[in-house]
Amino acid sequence: SGGIMLRKELKLKDPNKIKEIIEQCTTCRIAMIADEKPYILPMVFGYEWNENLYLYFHCGLRGRKNAALKENCLVCFEMDIEGELTGIGGPSYRHSRNFSAIIGEGNIEFAKSNIEKKEWFEHIMKHQTGKTGWEYPDAYLATTEVFRIKVSAFQASHK
């Protein structure tokens, strides 16, 4: 997509290197429009990357975010790993910071059943804890939205 821009010399193409970045990130920021204004939230997430990249999230049933995501399912996202400050001891314009980042865009899809919520939740829990096989009581799922971003375009960079 033409909307995603990273410096060409920093772009990563190797799926294994991109996956390494995703594996190290525990927070993903989702940007959307809420009440006709930009709105961004950091959220814990999980992922699945087969033919498509999916990012999985959960939240309560109400709130500004939920209303915005249901009104307009197109979002963008960003995750990063901050590195060390460079250029120390030199002039101000030589200072920079090493980092790895993934930015992209896609469409929100909400889980439609408790079975789907459990399947999607497992991606979150596996990424956050390294474990699967968690219990998800129906009473809890009744008060929880589980959603994912079906990623349509993304770029990764490393500096």
Side-chain angles (χ1 to χ4, degrees):
S1 169
I4 300 172
M5 301 193 43
L6 292 170
R7 289 179 23 203
K8 284 185 170 94
E9 70 273 18
L10 303 180
K11 281 186 193 174
L12 284 176
K13 298 284 187 199
D14 180 349
N16 292 321
K17 298 254 187 235
I18 294 167
K19 189 175 179 184
E20 283 178 26
I21 295 170
I22 296 172
E23 281 290 328
Q24 292 179 60
C25 293
T26 56
T27 305
C28 180
R29 290 156 200 84
I30 304 175
M32 64 199 84
I33 299 296
D35 303 321
E36 299 180 17
K37 296 178 190 164
Y39 186 54
I40 189 166
L41 283 173
M43 298 188 70
V44 298
F45 76 102
Y47 78 98
E48 176 182 31
W49 192 3
N50 296 321
E51 283 137 36
N52 292 305
L53 175 59
Y54 290 96
L55 303 175
Y56 294 89
F57 307 88
H58 73 96
C59 60
L61 295 177
R62 292 182 192 81
R64 185 177 182 196
K65 166 180 64 286
N66 299 48
L69 294 175
K70 288 178 178 170
E71 187 174 314
N72 182 353
C73 67
L74 182 61
V75 297
C76 58
F77 66 88
E78 185 274 351
M79 62 184 82
D80 61 77
I81 304 164
E82 191 173 293
E84 68 277 353
L85 184 65
T86 61
I88 297 168
S92 61
Y93 58 85
R94 292 277 183 219
H95 283 69
S96 187
R97 184 166 298 279
N98 289 338
F99 66 91
S100 297
I102 298 175
I103 62 171
E105 57 195 39
N107 289 293
I108 295 292
E109 300 173 341
F110 285 90
K112 294 177 181 65
S113 68
N114 279 0
I115 292 169
E116 207 166 46
K117 284 182 180 185
K118 289 175 186 179
E119 288 174 6
W120 293 10
F121 235 127
E122 279 291 281
H123 293 292
I124 299 167
M125 295 305 293
K126 181 180 180 195
H127 183 62
Q128 296 294 320
T129 70
K131 296 188 232 169
T132 58
W134 296 88
E135 293 291 323
Y136 305 100
D138 288 342
Y140 174 71
L141 294 176
T143 64
T144 306
E145 282 292 10
V146 183
F147 63 94
R148 68 185 183 182
I149 300 173
K150 182 178 182 183
V151 176
S152 56
F154 74 92
Q155 289 184 356
S157 66
H158 176 72
K159 178 179 172 193

